[in-house]
Amino acid sequence: MGTLYFVFAIWAGLVGTGLSVMMRIELSVPESVLGNSHLYNVLVTSHGLIMIFFFVMPMMMGGFGNWLFPLMLGVGDMAFPRMNGLSFWLLPGSMFLLFTSVFIEEGFGGGWTLYPPLSSNWAHSGPCTEFAIFSLHIGGASSILASINFLTTMLGMRPGGVSFVRCTMFVLSLSITSFLLICAMPVLAGALTMLITDRNFNTSFFDPAGLGDPMLFVHLFWFFGHPEVYILILPGFGIISHVIKVGSGKEKLFGKIGMVYALKSIGILGFIVWGHHMFSMGINVDSRSYFSIVTMIIAVPTGVKIFSWIATMMGGCVRNWPSMYWAVSFLVFFTAGGITGVIVSSASLDVLLHDTYYVVAHFHYVLSMGAVFAMFAGFHYWFPLVTGISLHDGWSKAQAVSMFFSVNLTFFPQHFLGMSGMPRRYAEYPVGYAFFNSLSSWGSVASMLSLFFFLFIVWEGMLAKRRMISAEVPKTEVEWAHRVLPIRFHNRVYRPFVLIGAGRVKGARSFMDAVVKRKASKSKQ
């Protein structure tokens, strides 16, 4: 299942990247290239939905999760394998419905946030909006099923002596992510259902003409949407924790307890900061003060994680691995994105910067260059574990460096565009913004070429079949505890032993428990 998720997510990522390059070609010159502003809005909408729901989430949870979760917990498979299959096979159908929404009439161009009235009958009278809504409904059901599976596996199948804190960082981060998804996704489902009834059954939840309120949808959407941001990045935190720990030659992560509590606090605080997306929408001063303060507070546990990763690298033997190139790039970009996030957390500044390219640059620094770089780091680190072969070392490093500079060239100029006042989602702009837009468009093309280089590296690695004899990882890494790579499916016949005290063994079968206890009692006599 993990391999299926990887193939699907990579394909979806290529589609989404292609859409983003088309957007940047449209914005490369002040006048319109596509000749249709609505088509540009359709590209923006589809790019956002594909990258979030069909690229990052399936790869983080489905790809890395299905491969590594059972290995790190020492179990043969997930708790509900058939549910696992269902959660995957819902995704191609969901993707098909989203594509259908693009090609029906002029396509759905209401933005990935689906705000009414842009998503109401007033702006999109045809069925394209329904197809987009049903696509998100099915994708949300897939995510909920997968999250139930991961959470049940972690709570019910981990060895008895392994407490929550003793689990690996990836298992912890994915478990908290699953909890967030189970809590947040039904809220989006409710908002989308209300939107469907507004469009088709004459209700007026979001229509002021019937005493409804469009702001209700914004509140519901961002109550889901902001936890969704952490759903996208938390598994990346777990991946980076493993890569930096092993890539620095360490057996332990610096301040793991603090990082566990930082993960938990990020998960909790993520539910109470949704209002910072609405500073310019007329909420009262007290609410703006509250949301500003809590948004700044949520930067504290994130800073704890950043400094813990840096401290883990300090004094260690940092290895010249491609995965470490991606991990260090992640630290640079995520820190930069976090700093701009603190800036726009101020309600006063956000009123000026809201819906400008400054916000676009901010969330791409933490997602496009945070979550995606974490996935690249994990891919290079665990690729030999899954396939038994290694990628070309020099080419992989060169590709990491090329991606570092190309995505920087794409998104760094957008900070200046935002501070100059250029709004988002406009296909044409004054000539004064042409220089930075041209830089950003060239960076987008360069990042696309770098992505093709990565695909070539994977293809060459599959052909060359450079077998990995042994991995330079410490024995503390449970997922690498296999004599032969690649590892087999259903690799654990019995749950592993976990020694937690003299003569006490948890996590094994009852017969083996009795044998070990008997031997322990004899040795004492």
Side-chain angles (χ1 to χ4, degrees), residues 133-296:
I133 291 172
F134 284 131
S135 169
L136 294 185
H137 263 308
I138 296 174
S142 168
S143 300
I144 290 173
L145 291 175
S147 300
I148 292 171
N149 205 355
F150 282 115
L151 209 54
T152 307
T153 305
M154 196 280 294
L155 294 175
M157 295 182 68
R158 70 178 189 269
V162 178
S163 62
F164 189 77
V165 175
R166 290 183 65 187
C167 290
T168 63
M169 287 302 297
F170 183 73
V171 169
L172 287 170
S173 62
L174 211 56
S175 301
I176 294 172
T177 302
S178 300
F179 174 77
L180 295 182
L181 259 173
I182 292 170
C183 293
M185 194 61 76
V187 179
L188 176 67
L192 294 178
T193 304
M194 294 159 75
L195 186 58
I196 286 179
T197 60
D198 268 17
R199 291 178 54 85
N200 297 283
F201 299 107
N202 209 29
T203 59
S204 55
F205 292 110
F206 311 126
D207 185 2
L211 300 183
D213 187 1
M215 286 282 286
L216 173 60
F217 183 89
V218 182
H219 278 287
L220 290 173
F221 181 87
W222 285 115
F223 189 82
F224 149 80
H226 199 78
E228 172 69 16
V229 174
Y230 294 106
I231 287 164
L232 297 174
I233 197 63
L234 282 182
F237 287 167
I239 292 171
I240 292 296
S241 297
H242 285 267
V243 172
I244 286 183
K245 177 179 67 172
V246 178
S248 303
K250 299 290 184 69
E251 291 189 354
K252 291 183 179 181
L253 201 62
F254 179 88
K256 184 184 176 183
I257 301 296
M259 295 191 79
V260 171
Y261 282 104
L263 277 175
K264 292 180 179 179
S265 57
I266 287 173
I268 294 170
L269 291 172
F271 276 105
I272 56 174
V273 295
W274 78 92
H276 65 216
H277 297 271
M278 305 163 64
F279 283 147
S280 63
M281 297 185 184
I283 60 176
N284 60 56
V285 175
D286 293 332
S287 297
R288 287 198 291 174
S289 300
Y290 162 75
F291 283 119
S292 285
I293 292 169
V294 180
T295 306
M296 292 178 185

Side-chain angles (χ1 to χ4, degrees), residues 490-519:
H490 292 275
N491 46 80
R492 301 277 190 186
V493 180
Y494 305 117
R495 297 170 72 185
F497 294 105
V498 180
L499 299 174
I500 60 171
R504 295 175 62 205
V505 181
K506 287 192 176 182
R509 295 175 304 154
S510 58
F511 173 75
M512 297 303 294
D513 280 351
V515 171
V516 174
K517 288 181 179 180
R518 189 178 302 167
K519 288 184 178 179

Side-chain angles (χ1 to χ4, degrees), residues 10 26 39 93 105 181 213 218 227 320 404 418 444 449 460 502 510:
I10 290 172
E26 167 72 355
L39 176 59
E105 296 178 326
L181 259 173
D213 187 1
V218 182
N320 190 23
F404 179 92
S444 175
L449 294 175
E460 186 273 340
S510 58

Side-chain angles (χ1 to χ4, degrees), residues 436-471:
F436 286 124
N437 268 302
S438 177
L439 281 181
S440 186
S441 296
W442 279 112
S444 175
V445 173
S447 61
M448 187 74 169
L449 294 175
S450 179
L451 187 59
F452 287 152
F453 185 27
F454 169 74
L455 295 176
F456 170 76
I457 291 169
V458 175
W459 174 76
E460 186 273 340
M462 293 289 190
L463 287 184
K465 290 185 172 62
R466 288 177 289 270
R467 295 299 300 271
M468 172 166 277
I469 306 301
S470 62

